[in-house]
Amino acid sequence: QDVGGEDRPMDEAMMRLCDYIIPNASELNRLCKSLDKDCIVKDTTEYQENKDINEIIERAKLLQKHGARNVLVTLGSRGSVLVPEDGGEAIVQDSCRLPSHLSVVDETGAGDCFRAAFAVARASEKRPIPEAMQIASAAGALAVTRK
């Protein structure tokens, strides 16, 4: 279920069926708000300026309280963070920096490329999670160099 720009809840039964929920910061906010009406959400631009990702991790844990298993939040140029279902320490992956001869052309689809690369690296290639996150970061970075 791609909640994209819609403000609609994700069914808790569906969340339990997914190995990974992979929202971006604004999708994470909307999902949390749909599950907990008392949840106060920040404008996602505040996340871009805030170097501390503890609040994002807490929001991911809120999804887990509602049935999500592994929550991998994409943060654009800040990278990504995975909150694993086993309660272990969150895994933070920096974004993949573009070489100087490449530049950002269009950010459309970067998150989709990230998710696809992560899924292939984990499910098909059986890569360890940190390595799959690195591959996904590289795919998302390359996606922004094309229109």
Side-chain angles (χ1 to χ4, degrees):
Q1 174 176 339
D2 183 357
V3 296
E6 294 184 31
D7 285 330
R8 63 181 172 146
M10 184 172 184
D11 184 69
E12 291 184 28
M14 183 179 288
M15 272 199 270
R16 282 190 282 281
L17 295 174
C18 298
D19 290 331
Y20 292 88
I21 304 291
I22 311 179
N24 62 34
S26 63
E27 291 165 341
L28 177 66
N29 277 342
R30 287 195 303 275
L31 284 168
C32 287
K33 187 70 174 168
S34 74
L35 295 167
D36 181 352
K37 300 303 179 200
D38 296 326
C39 182
I40 299 169
V41 297
K42 286 184 176 182
D43 182 326
T44 56
T45 56
E46 293 181 54
Y47 285 125
Q48 297 302 319
E49 296 165 1
N50 183 359
K51 297 297 182 195
D52 185 0
I53 62 168
N54 289 333
E55 189 167 342
I56 293 168
I57 292 170
E58 288 307 310
R59 293 210 190 288
K61 288 179 179 179
L62 176 64
L63 290 188
Q64 290 174 324
K65 288 179 186 173
H66 288 275
R69 294 169 60 192
N70 297 286
V71 181
L72 175 52
V73 183
T74 61
L75 303 169
S77 64
R78 289 203 39 229
S80 61
V81 60
L82 173 77
V83 178
E85 71 178 319
D86 66 6
E89 190 171 328
I91 301 169
V92 177
Q93 172 62 50
D94 290 333
S95 64
C96 183
R97 302 292 177 217
L98 293 173
S100 59
H101 69 281
L102 294 175
S103 61
V104 174
V105 175
D106 185 352
E107 295 176 357
T108 306
D112 294 329
C113 285
F114 178 99
R115 290 171 187 84
F118 182 82
V120 169
R122 287 293 293 150
S124 180
E125 298 178 1
K126 309 289 189 230
R127 304 281 184 123
I129 290 171
E131 187 177 340
M133 289 172 70
Q134 286 180 317
I135 291 167
S137 179
L142 284 175
V144 304
T145 66
R146 304 269 188 254
K147 188 131 180 96

